[in-house]
Amino acid sequence: MARTWLSIRVELVSGRGEDHWPRPGRILAAARSHTFEQLGTAIDLAFARWDPAHLRLFTLADQTPVCSFRTWEDTPDGAVDSDRTTLSRLTAGDQFAYTFDTGDDWTRLCTIADHRINPPDELDLVAAQPTPHQGWGDLPDQYGRRWNGDNGSPAPRPPSNPLADLPPILPWWGPRQR
């Protein structure tokens, strides 16, 4: 396979009213034939967005909005359909923004690398969809929850042995043996 896929650096800039520094990021591989909608789904998964029922919006450097005409009731002026618009529109060095959840505004800066990649070399597999293959940083929860049942109260005190409540499937899980 020739080096035909794009390498896209995606960095989390802000979300839920907070700017993130250092910025968590992921590198995704995507074919020029993939749509922006497919890229959005891959980014959401790569950034642990577990509730995907939110609007997504790409904003290209020339301010062109890219969104799904299926899900947006009132599309932004001048928008193109993310279900039909492919990544072939992008070239090396291009930068654009991606927003997931237009209420909490999880925004990301996306940058197309100056070189194309060969997925088997970079991913050790042939992917059918845009696929993350590198990453860094801590990802904040989509709704700001820090534990199951978090209602905004202070964090519970950690137990002296945080593994004691686990079943002894692995040798270091469960109550310590004497």
Side-chain angles (χ1 to χ4, degrees), residues 52-114:
H54 294 278
L55 295 176
R56 59 172 61 116
L57 174 69
F58 290 93
T59 305
L60 303 182
D62 66 3
Q63 301 303 301
T64 299
V66 183
C67 62
S68 174
F69 290 10
R70 277 182 302 108
T71 57
W72 280 69
E73 203 167 293
D74 295 314
T75 59
D77 290 340
V80 296
D81 188 357
S82 62
D83 291 306
R84 301 177 130 201
T85 306
T86 66
L87 304 181
S88 64
R89 176 175 191 132
L90 303 170
T91 60
D94 281 357
Q95 292 188 303
F96 55 96
Y98 172 64
T99 303
F100 169 81
D101 186 349
T102 56
D104 282 342
D105 287 327
W106 290 101
T107 60
R108 292 163 188 85
L109 171 65
C110 304
T111 305
I112 305 299
D114 61 359

Side-chain angles (χ1 to χ4, degrees), residues 2-18:
R3 295 185 176 276
T4 59
W5 280 40
L6 301 172
S7 178
I8 307 170
R9 180 184 179 110
V10 182
E11 297 174 279
L12 179 63
V13 175
S14 59
R16 299 185 73 246
E18 295 179 28

